[in-house]
Amino acid sequence: MLLSLKNKIFIATIPIIIIALSIFTIIFFFSAKKAIENKNQAFIDEIVKIKAFQIGLYIEEIKRELKIISKGQELTNGDLYSDSTLKYIKHIANLNKDIFEILIISDNAGNTISSNDIKVNISDREYFKNIISGKSKLEISEPLISRVLKKPVYVIAVPLYDKNNKIKGIVAAVILIEKASKSIQDLHIKGKGNVGIMDKSGFLIAHQSKQYSLRISMYNVFEKSIKTLNKDFIRSNGHFIFKNNHQSIYISYSEIPNTDGWILCISIPEKIMYEDIYKLLSLLLFMFFIITSILSAIFYILIKRATKPLGRLTKAVKEFSKNSSEKKFNFTTKDEVDELFNTFNTMSKTISNHTKILDEKIKSKTKELTQQNIELETLNSNLKLKNEELYNIATKDNLTGFFNRYEMYRRLDFFISKSLRNDNFIFSILIIDLDNFKYYNDTFGHDVGDETLKLFANFLSNILRENDIKVRYGGDEFILLLENNLENSIDIGNKIILELKKYRGFQSELSTKFNKNLNIEKNKWISCSIGVTEYNTSTRKSPEEIIKLADDALYKAKKSGKSRVEY
């Protein structure tokens, strides 16, 4: 039995369709698979890196706070076991209760007082020995069981110096391991995987689930996967595949800054990472079947229509061969040629109509997209404003609008780095303390005190250059970072003191603000004492040391009668 032309074309077309779709599907699948793998791995690595950086910032904040606490006069000059000292550390601990659990002060024999009134001896602790011996100026302990809290903790400690700059003990913050575990509980991918923190020896010190025992050696767990590497394999950022009981697990890790080699690590079964790939494969197979069926049907119809005019033409040729008279050229309007032209004209008209309809749809969609772009631009503008608002919240004092202490240290680090690169770059630090501010607070209330701080801040903004760094350091203390040498900075300090006197203690401004007459005696007017120090390449001191020099100069100004500049 002979096959018709349309069936031959159809049988020849089907394998071509299947092969073409198969090649396209395979290429698309493997390209998409690789892209999804890279995207998922990069996403996980970035999340781990960001979380490690956040934990590092948290530890850095504790370190900086401990250094500030250790320099307090209550600790350096006072009796460590006095009621005032205990009251002081309780106050500090309460201010920082969100940062650490308890605050411990120890003498050089290891006898402690703590913010929760429990006294223990820590002379056998490794971190205590390292600091007291002068071996280290900052210690982060290995996980241990606290003798005060009776729970697993780690300790961050710094030296405590007396007024002769000799080590008289330590100041330490105690942080619960449980808090570290809670901080990583939200680090999941699709609700799966395990998250932990390892120390430099490879031991697990924190895990998001309490069912895991701490102090498990993760190097032993990963031994088969890292047998070709040494135990220093985890020192920055990276990932590797861990084979466990015929299951592949993706391990991503990142070193936590400001720690002694701690590592944040997340493990996720590869099958979880590849769920999207399996879904894509299922979808492609389904679409392959659907598209193959649809194309086969379409091609069959098209082949049938395309071969039909040929059949009519064949019939006409046969009829013409039977009759050789001139009438053989007398084709009617229904001949195959006319049918082909009519079909083309009809098709052209149909396509034209479809094109017009499509153009209208495109115009409509373009209008919708234009409107959506306008809305997106509005959202982007609002997002920019929100980002600026968040930046101000993070870096500025909400009362005065000046930079806060955290931003000041960041700017100071930048100034020091710039000075080390450029010998000609010199800057100065001015610490300003308001005289008689306590009188304003005690006599007229804290609302007047707050308004006084704002007025003084506005006064500084008006008298200083716009690019001068203005900081509210805390309470009634302000810090200025000026790109001036010592002599010019002293002149500016004297100008501030003289100009401030003209405001007569802000008596008029405060009276207007609170709609009442505030009678302030002249000797009680707000004034200021200023300590100045200069930083140049020959100085080479840390930010804390520079501020200490300026603070010493401020103390000298206070002792010399206030309302003056000392350096």
Side-chain angles (χ1 to χ4, degrees):
M1 180 180 179
L2 295 175
L3 292 174
S4 64
L5 180 61
K6 68 178 180 180
N7 289 336
K8 289 180 179 180
I9 296 175
F10 180 73
I11 292 172
T13 302
I14 291 302
I16 296 174
I17 294 174
I18 294 175
I19 292 171
L21 285 177
S22 298
I23 294 172
F24 173 80
T25 301
I26 292 170
I27 294 173
F28 179 81
F29 172 75
F30 282 103
S31 298
K33 178 178 180 293
K34 187 63 177 177
I36 292 172
E37 286 178 357
N38 293 338
K39 180 181 178 182
N40 286 347
Q41 290 178 1
F43 175 73
I44 294 170
D45 290 350
E46 187 64 19
I47 287 178
V48 173
K49 186 176 180 181
I50 291 172
K51 191 65 177 182
F53 180 75
Q54 290 174 345
I55 296 172
L57 286 180
Y58 166 74
I59 293 176
E60 177 62 22
E61 183 181 4
I62 296 175
K63 290 180 181 179
R64 183 168 291 171
E65 191 64 27
L66 287 179
K67 289 181 180 179
I68 294 172
I69 294 170
S70 69
K71 294 177 181 179
Q73 292 184 358
E74 291 86 349
L75 299 181
T76 57
N77 298 331
D79 179 8
L80 293 182
Y81 301 102
S82 66
D83 292 338
S84 62
T85 301
L86 182 59
K87 183 178 179 181
Y88 172 72
I89 66 172
K90 285 184 176 181
H91 173 67
I92 294 297
N94 185 56
L95 291 177
N96 296 278
K97 61 185 179 181
D98 293 331
I99 302 177
F100 48 75
E101 201 68 20
I102 59 173
L103 181 66
I104 291 177
I105 309 296
S106 165
D107 61 18
N108 54 17
N111 298 313
T112 67
I113 58 172
S114 63
S115 55
N116 67 351
D117 294 324
I118 297 177
K119 298 179 180 180
V120 296
N121 186 283
I122 59 171
S123 59
D124 61 329
R125 294 297 198 192
E126 195 66 25
Y127 65 86
F128 173 84
K129 294 177 182 178
N130 288 340
I131 290 181
I132 293 299
S133 66
K135 183 179 178 181
S136 173
K137 291 186 177 181
L138 188 145
E139 279 287 308
I140 301 178
S141 75
E142 298 293 334
L144 47 84
I145 300 299
S146 170
R147 291 171 182 164
V148 176
L149 297 175
K150 309 300 182 186
K151 294 180 178 180
V153 299
Y154 63 93
V155 178
I156 301 177
V158 298
L160 175 60
Y161 297 95
D162 60 19
K163 59 185 179 182
N164 296 320
N165 204 31
K166 293 183 178 180
I167 297 176
K168 63 185 290 186
I170 70 167
V171 179
V174 179
I175 299 99
L176 286 173
I177 293 293
E178 181 181 345
K179 180 174 287 188
S181 298
K182 288 182 179 178
S183 69
I184 58 176
Q185 283 181 344
D186 59 338
L187 191 58
H188 293 292
I189 305 300
K190 299 181 179 180
K192 305 290 185 180
N194 291 300
V195 186
I197 298 175
M198 298 188 306
D199 63 18
K200 64 181 180 181
S201 301
F203 287 97
L204 187 66
I205 60 175
H207 193 277
Q208 96 272 11
S209 175
K210 292 183 178 180
Q211 68 180 0
Y212 284 84
S213 300
L214 301 183
R215 306 301 297 165
I216 296 174
S217 174
M218 300 310 291
Y219 287 112
N220 293 333
V221 174
F222 300 143
E223 182 181 2
K224 293 182 180 179
S225 295
I226 61 170
K227 59 185 178 182
T228 60
L229 304 174
N230 59 40
K231 288 197 174 183
D232 291 326
F233 79 105
I234 298 180
R235 279 297 173 266
S236 55
N237 306 302
H239 59 259
F240 60 90
I241 304 299
F242 169 54
K243 302 289 185 178
N244 182 25
N245 296 329
H246 307 292
Q247 182 183 20
S248 295
I249 298 177
Y250 181 83
I251 307 293
S252 179
Y253 59 85
S254 180
E255 184 174 2
I256 300 174
N258 304 309
T259 64
D260 188 16
W262 288 11
I263 300 294
L264 178 64
C265 191
I266 182 171
S267 63
I268 304 169
E270 275 195 312
K271 65 179 182 180
I272 301 299
M273 294 180 60
Y274 297 151
E275 280 183 351
D276 293 338
I277 296 176
Y278 299 142
K279 291 179 181 178
L280 175 63
L281 178 59
S282 299
L283 178 62
L284 285 176
L285 291 175
F286 175 76
M287 293 301 297
F288 177 85
F289 174 78
I290 295 298
I291 293 174
T292 301
S293 300
I294 292 174
L295 288 178
S296 298
I298 291 174
F299 270 93
Y300 180 81
I301 294 171
L302 290 177
I303 291 170
K304 183 178 180 181
R305 289 184 176 181
T307 56
K308 186 176 182 180
L310 294 177
R312 292 183 177 179
L313 181 60
T314 300
K315 183 179 180 180
V317 170
K318 287 180 179 181
E319 289 177 353
F320 174 76
S321 63
K322 293 178 181 179
N323 185 2
S324 59
S325 65
E326 292 183 357
K327 66 178 182 180
K328 63 181 179 181
F329 302 106
N330 295 328
F331 287 94
T332 65
T333 56
K334 295 181 180 181
D335 64 305
E336 295 295 334
V337 175
D338 287 342
E339 185 68 21
L340 289 174
F341 279 118
N342 289 335
T343 301
F344 173 80
N345 291 334
T346 302
M347 181 181 66
S348 176
K349 183 178 179 180
T350 302
I351 291 174
S352 177
N353 291 335
H354 280 298
T355 301
K356 290 179 181 179
I357 295 172
L358 184 60
D359 286 339
E360 291 297 324
K361 289 183 178 180
I362 291 173
K363 290 179 181 179
S364 176
K365 289 295 181 182
T366 302
K367 186 176 181 181
E368 291 179 11
L369 289 173
T370 301
Q371 182 61 34
Q372 290 174 358
N373 286 334
I374 294 173
E375 293 174 359
L376 285 174
E377 289 177 359
T378 302
L379 289 175
N380 286 334
S381 177
N382 291 338
L383 181 60
K384 183 177 180 182
L385 292 175
K386 287 294 182 181
N387 286 336
E388 292 176 356
E389 182 180 341
L390 289 173
Y391 172 79
N392 288 332
I393 291 173
T395 62
K396 293 189 177 181
D397 173 55
N398 60 359
L399 180 65
T400 63
F402 284 0
F403 289 123
N404 57 25
R405 179 179 296 194
Y406 169 79
E407 182 65 11
M408 184 271 293
Y409 275 106
R410 195 179 72 82
R411 299 287 179 118
L412 184 53
D413 285 337
F414 172 76
F415 271 36
I416 292 173
S417 299
K418 186 176 180 181
S419 179
L420 294 175
R421 294 193 304 270
N422 182 3
D423 292 343
N424 296 323
F425 181 74
I426 299 173
F427 68 93
S428 298
I429 297 178
L430 286 73
I431 296 186
I432 303 174
D433 184 81
L434 296 184
D435 304 324
N436 297 323
F437 180 72
K438 187 176 185 301
Y439 169 79
Y440 277 56
N441 260 345
D442 294 344
T443 305
F444 306 111
H446 290 286
D447 289 345
V448 173
D450 289 346
E451 185 63 26
T452 302
L453 291 175
K454 290 195 285 186
L455 289 170
F456 181 72
N458 290 335
F459 161 74
L460 286 180
S461 297
N462 291 331
I463 203 171
L464 295 172
R465 297 170 299 191
E466 184 177 352
N467 64 334
D468 290 333
I469 307 300
K470 299 170 277 292
V471 180
R472 185 185 177 196
Y473 194 56
D476 60 345
E477 283 192 340
F478 295 81
I479 286 182
L480 304 178
L481 301 181
L482 307 180
E483 296 183 23
N484 294 322
N485 59 24
L486 181 63
E487 183 180 351
N488 290 337
S489 296
I490 292 173
D491 291 341
I492 291 173
N494 286 321
K495 180 181 178 182
I496 290 172
I497 291 174
L498 291 175
E499 291 295 324
L500 182 59
K501 290 180 180 179
K502 297 178 182 180
Y503 283 83
R504 304 170 63 85
F506 300 118
Q507 193 170 206
S508 174
E509 290 83 353
L510 292 172
S511 297
T512 302
K513 174 68 177 180
F514 294 98
N515 197 25
K516 60 182 178 181
N517 184 28
L518 300 179
N519 186 18
I520 306 173
E521 297 178 8
K522 184 176 181 180
N523 64 339
K524 296 296 184 181
W525 288 351
I526 280 288
S527 62
C528 63
S529 299
I530 304 176
V532 185
T533 188
E534 177 189 276
Y535 185 95
N536 53 48
T537 52
S538 63
T539 306
R540 291 188 179 274
K541 293 184 179 297
S542 68
E544 292 78 9
E545 290 171 332
I546 300 169
I547 292 175
K548 180 65 168 58
L549 290 174
D551 194 50
D552 290 343
L554 172 63
Y555 180 77
K556 182 179 176 183
K558 284 285 190 180
K559 288 296 183 181
S560 300
K562 302 181 180 180
S563 191
R564 60 189 296 124
V565 179
E566 292 290 348
Y567 59 93

